[in-house]
Amino acid sequence: MSPTDSYTRFVNRPFGKQVAKTIGLPRPVPLRRHTPGDRLASGPILVIGDTEAGDTIAEQLWAESYDVRRDPGLKQKFSALIVALDDTAHPRDLSERVLQVSTALRGLEPNGRVITVFREPQDPSVATDANIVAVRHGIEGFTRSLAKEMRFGATTNGIILSQEVTMAAPAAQAALRFLLSGRSAYVAGQFITISSTAGSLPTDWDRPLADKVIVVTGAARGIGEAISETLARDGATVIGVDMPAADEALTTVMNRIGGIAVQLDITNENAATELIRLAGQRFGRLDGIVHNAGITRDKLLANMDAARWDSLIAVNITAPLRINEQLLAELGQGVVAENFRITSLASTSGIAGNRGQTNYAAAKAGIIGMTQAFADQLAQTGGSINAVAPGFIETAMTDAMPTATREVARRMNSLQQGGRPVDVAEAIALFHADAAAGINGTTLRVCGQSMVGK
Ligand code: NAD
């Protein structure tokens, strides 16, 4: 498994670049990823739209000494373009700002960012005004299409503000920083909805998880290992859980990040009780859990047997459901923090379906449903629950695919490459931060805008 695949390395050398250009092959570039201390953008940020959201964003970025511009000018270079569309009332209102984006796009640097900011299309207070509903849906379509026109590692994503929420909300600020930074390297053509003003800003944006104690299941390798490392980097203490057979690998990971290794099969009926007992004993608290452990048992349904179906459902959806119920029963009663955060691994297979994966897709779509179902209960005490749906991620699992299938799957997205486990981990880390409390019940795709969709 290589962090940058061999094709991407080839087309980024002079000869390979020329070959790819001449015969029109995809030309993926190495993506900008986050390292602590990084600025959100290295060059000017253009904020288009003199709206409430546009002004708030510009003021916040100015306050942190970013080079903020409000006019595209002529032949300017930009690291990011933020398009405030929170006041639009009719599709014809889009023209002026969209054409400003068009002018500025030519100066967008490699790995640059375009972020649209607008209001919720499903807002019940405007549901009967067809013009407003149409334009808000229109902005979604615009954002998704522009994301497909990006080149050289640049991405386009959107921030959706619910009814009473403004860009001053902690979760809106957290989402903006996430999308501007290298933390969102493999997030393209997606939307982050800010549903409330809940949450508080960190004292240090580089350590948003300071003092948190978080359980990560399936932490011994792959995406779970990356999640554990990323949460620890951001200040959390990790309780890593994995099967007894994975103990050596789990202990190595936990020793590296100062976490605690726990051998536990999550399908065990008492798994949550055991985790609460352990967290209470060691730390006196538990702030969150990441349901990452998962298995695949692929077979066409015609060849499916009970063992394959049942074992997958037991690990991938029954265990997270049971653990959540047990944790929520203990909410705010001592160990389990009132503002408890839950995140889970869904999958693009759970959104689009995938041949040979009826069991896996049922479980992963179930995760998306579970995320919506627990959201209100958690929000009542300042908590949240969200899911991340990875697309093609470079792991041992995808490394084992036949070469041709893997190569096609890898290129079938707007960034023309696979993501890395850390890309999934960055989205999980966002959801566990105090600032992100206002993002709740959502599923964020980390898939480079995979062509696979509903
Ligand atoms: P992986 O197989 O490399 O790691 C999964 C870990 O979970 C292993 O260490 C395994 O021992 C552990 N585990 C399995 N059953 C367990 C149980 N009953 N109790 C405790 N631990 C258990 O998988 P990965 O590729 O890192 O995937 C992690 C998650 O991301 C999974 O939920 C997977 O479905 C999801 N996902 C992965 C991809 C991808 O491209 N790799 C794409 C979409 C979703």
Side-chain angles (χ1 to χ4, degrees), residues 217-225 241-243 246 264-267 291-296 315-316 345-349 360 364 388-398 424:
T217 69
R221 64 177 206 193
I223 293 174
E225 178 181 356
V241 173
D242 213 302
M243 297 292 279
L264 182 67
D265 181 338
I266 57 161
T267 62
H291 294 298
N292 164 77
I295 57 172
T296 48
V315 176
N316 289 13
L345 271 288
S347 165
T348 46
S349 297
Y360 187 75
K364 293 300 185 184
V388 174
F392 183 97
I393 305 296
E394 305 280 359
T395 60
M397 189 178 98
T398 47
V424 178

